[in-house]
């Protein structure tokens, strides 16, 4: 029970279609006939987990590469924080048709950044000449569930994104921009802050400001997604021993190639 933080033992769970219709210590008579029984004795039944910062939709074979390991770890949903809109549409369609089993995708499509962007391959560069509402409408029509804002976006463009989100019942989330004070981004409605970028510097300089930012986020219903595993990998990426054979088979070849170049440079 994720609300009470307790384990309810020896329970019967009845599922009708996509809905859990009953949870209790005994099975009601009306459910005993014409039902399929799954014996879960000695096991746990838990709500599906979400990976709240994932990059799935940037490579066309990531579904077949990563779906099995996600499902085996109980992850039935991913918040995709930046990728190719065409790949995302294809993945969603395959899931909806039952062509492949995998987690639900709540995705942003390409990231919205300044000009030039940090990552050119799946970012859209916004500047003072950009027709932001038209661009965002295009992303919506191509399947974006929310908008991902990135590190070099400017305040004027962020304000236009925020205005569009209010008008069209959308949200935006992402990095704290290097050009915008965190308090401003939060006040404009940024739904989540990814990683600890900017916050680590503020913490070192003024811990009371971190408290104020946290309070502002709480009042606006925003949350922090710290992605601590990213920092762990960054700290050890120069060490080839972090990748064993079991781990390596889930790495896209392009990423493995990049890491091998890092390892080679270390020993050059």
């Amino acid at each position: 029970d994720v609300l009470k933080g307790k384990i309810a033992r020896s329970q019967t769970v009845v599922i009708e279609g996509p809905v859990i219709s009953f949870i209790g210590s005994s099975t009601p008579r009306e459910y005993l006939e014409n039902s399929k029984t799954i014996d879960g004795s000695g096991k746990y039944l838990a709500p599906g987990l979400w990976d709240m910062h994932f990059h799935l939709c940037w490579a066309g074979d990531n579904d077949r590469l990563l779906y099995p390991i996600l499902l085996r770890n109980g992850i039935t949903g991913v918040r995709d924080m930046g990728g190719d809109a065409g790949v995302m549409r294809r993945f969603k369609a395959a899931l909806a048709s039952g062509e492949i089993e995998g987690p639900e995708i709540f995705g942003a499509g390409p990231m919205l950044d300044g000009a030039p962007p940090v990552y050119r391959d799946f970012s859209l560069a916004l500047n003072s000449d950009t027709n932001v509402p038209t661009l965002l409408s295009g992303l919506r029509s191509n399947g974006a569930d929310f908008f991902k804002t990135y590190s070099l976006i400017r305040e004027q463009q962020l304000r236009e994104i925020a205005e569009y989100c209010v008008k069209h019942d959308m949200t935006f989330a992402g990095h704290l921009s290097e050009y915008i004070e965190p308090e401003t981004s939060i006040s404009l409605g940024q739904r989540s802050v990814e990683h600890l970028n900017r916050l680590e510097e503020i913490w070192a300089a003024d811990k009371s400001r971190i408290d104020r930012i946290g309070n502002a986020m709480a009042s606006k219903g925003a949350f922090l997604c710290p992605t601590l595993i990213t920092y762990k990998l960054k700290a050890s990426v120069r060490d080839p021993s972090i990748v064993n054979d079991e781990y390596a088979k889930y790495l896209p070849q392009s990423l493995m190639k990049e890491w091998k170049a890092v390892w080679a440079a270390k020993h050059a």
Side-chain angles (χ1 to χ4, degrees):
D1 186 329
V2 295
L3 295 179
K4 297 179 181 178
K6 296 181 179 180
I7 295 173
R9 302 184 184 279
S10 302
Q11 298 291 292
T12 293
V13 179
V14 179
I15 300 173
E16 295 183 277
V19 177
I20 295 175
S21 58
F22 174 82
I23 301 176
S25 56
S26 61
T27 307
R29 187 182 303 275
E30 63 267 28
Y31 294 123
L32 292 175
E33 297 181 3
N34 302 317
S35 61
K36 177 183 177 182
T37 300
I38 299 173
D39 186 1
S41 301
K43 299 179 180 179
Y44 291 91
L45 181 64
L49 304 175
W50 277 76
D51 190 316
M52 291 298 286
H53 190 117
F54 207 88
H55 289 280
L56 176 72
C57 300
W58 60 275
D61 61 347
N62 272 354
D63 54 347
R64 301 186 186 279
L65 181 68
L66 298 176
Y67 282 3
I69 194 67
L70 288 167
L71 293 179
R72 282 203 293 274
N73 281 276
I75 296 172
T76 58
V78 296
R79 188 172 67 132
D80 194 82
M81 297 300 292
D84 183 283
V87 171
M88 183 172 69
R89 287 198 310 274
R90 190 165 71 250
F91 284 0
K92 285 185 174 184
L95 290 168
S97 69
E99 176 187 334
I100 190 170
E101 288 189 343
E104 179 182 352
I105 299 171
F106 185 76
M111 303 186 298
L112 305 176
D113 204 1
V118 177
Y119 294 105
R120 296 177 182 272
D121 47 357
F122 51 90
S123 296
L124 297 175
L126 279 60
N127 58 33
S128 58
D129 295 325
T130 303
N131 187 322
V132 174
T134 299
L135 183 147
L136 298 181
S137 292
L139 289 177
R140 282 181 68 205
S141 66
N142 278 282
D145 299 300
F146 67 101
F147 305 121
K148 164 73 177 290
T149 52
Y150 212 62
S151 300
L152 302 182
I153 197 166
R154 300 284 180 158
E155 185 172 327
Q156 178 56 40
Q157 284 70 56
L158 192 69
R159 288 186 177 276
E160 292 183 64
I161 292 169
E163 182 178 347
Y164 183 94
C165 286
V166 170
K167 288 182 179 179
H168 298 277
D169 194 25
M170 294 284 286
T171 59
F172 70 96
H175 285 207
L176 291 172
S177 174
E178 296 296 322
Y179 299 110
I180 307 170
E181 294 300 335
E183 294 87 345
T184 300
S185 298
I186 298 306
S187 70
L188 289 173
Q190 183 161 328
R191 186 63 184 274
S192 73
V193 172
E194 305 303 304
H195 318 299
L196 299 171
N197 299 1
R198 299 288 308 279
L199 297 179
E200 54 202 357
E201 302 164 10
I202 295 172
W203 169 261
D206 184 355
K207 292 179 175 57
S208 64
R209 186 181 175 193
I210 285 289
D211 290 338
R212 294 194 296 272
I213 291 172
N215 290 334
M217 291 174 66
S219 68
K220 296 286 285 188
F223 62 91
L224 174 67
C225 188
T227 63
L228 297 180
I229 188 64
T230 300
Y231 289 88
K232 180 180 178 182
L233 279 173
K234 283 183 177 181
S236 55
V237 71
R238 294 186 178 277
D239 181 2
S241 67
I242 66 170
V243 179
N244 55 39
D245 291 340
E246 179 65 21
Y247 186 42
K249 66 184 181 183
Y250 299 111
L251 287 174
Q253 287 303 307
S254 57
L255 185 57
M256 180 61 86
K257 182 179 179 181
E258 180 182 333
W259 285 11
K260 285 180 176 178
V262 172
W263 300 333
K266 175 186 175 183
H267 298 289

